[in-house]
Amino acid sequence: MQIVYALLGTSPQLTAAIVGLVVAGVFWRKMPRAAMLLLLASVLEMAVLAASGWYHMVYFPAALQAHDRTMVELTRNMAFVGFATSALHGLVFGLLVWAVATGRGRPVPPAVPGR
């Protein structure tokens, strides 16, 4: 149940990732490279959000209750996870910028009637 609360907290990002999946599907034929980059960014964002939610709402509280690690180790672990999450969000943003730049390449010629 705690993972649901974590996902509710990230619902704006999760909604944007789902919209990204839909937009990638819609534009797949017109701009396959940009759509693929958007799809990759959206899937990666959803994975990062799910993993981050699991870590903060399931793993970390269980590790605190288990008392098998010191607070310094848990703090160091949390700092590493925070840095990794930020780096992955940066990668997602970079993929989105790349998708926009790729999609603005050459103009698509108008469709020929009857084809």
Side-chain angles (χ1 to χ4, degrees), residues 3 10-11 15 22 32 38-39 49 51 59 63 84 87 94 97 100 109:
I3 192 79
T10 60
S11 61
T15 303
V22 172
L38 176 59
L39 179 72
L49 290 173
Y59 173 77
V97 170
V100 169

Side-chain angles (χ1 to χ4, degrees), residues 2 17 20-21 28 30 37 41 43 46-47 53 61 74 82 90 99 104 106:
Q2 291 175 341
L21 291 174
W28 191 266
K30 285 185 180 182
L37 291 169
V43 168
M46 291 171 69
L74 287 174
R104 295 184 54 89
R106 55 183 188 260

Side-chain angles (χ1 to χ4, degrees), residues 1-6:
M1 189 65 179
Q2 291 175 341
I3 192 79
V4 173
Y5 293 132

Side-chain angles (χ1 to χ4, degrees), residues 21-106:
L21 291 174
V22 172
V23 169
V26 168
F27 287 104
W28 191 266
R29 286 185 174 229
K30 285 185 180 182
M31 298 178 282
R33 189 168 183 183
M36 182 209 40
L37 291 169
L38 176 59
L39 179 72
L40 184 61
S42 297
V43 168
L44 184 59
E45 180 68 14
M46 291 171 69
V48 169
L49 290 173
S52 179
W54 174 83
Y55 176 81
H56 290 290
M57 298 301 280
V58 177
Y59 173 77
F60 190 74
L64 277 175
Q65 289 178 354
H67 299 293
D68 60 343
R69 293 187 178 188
T70 66
M71 249 346 227
V72 172
E73 290 174 330
L74 287 174
T75 303
R76 211 175 288 149
N77 190 348
M78 186 174 259
F80 175 76
V81 169
F83 177 78
T85 301
S86 294
L88 288 171
H89 282 299
L91 178 64
V92 167
F93 189 74
L95 285 170
L96 292 174
V97 170
W98 188 10
V100 169
T102 299
R104 295 184 54 89
R106 55 183 188 260

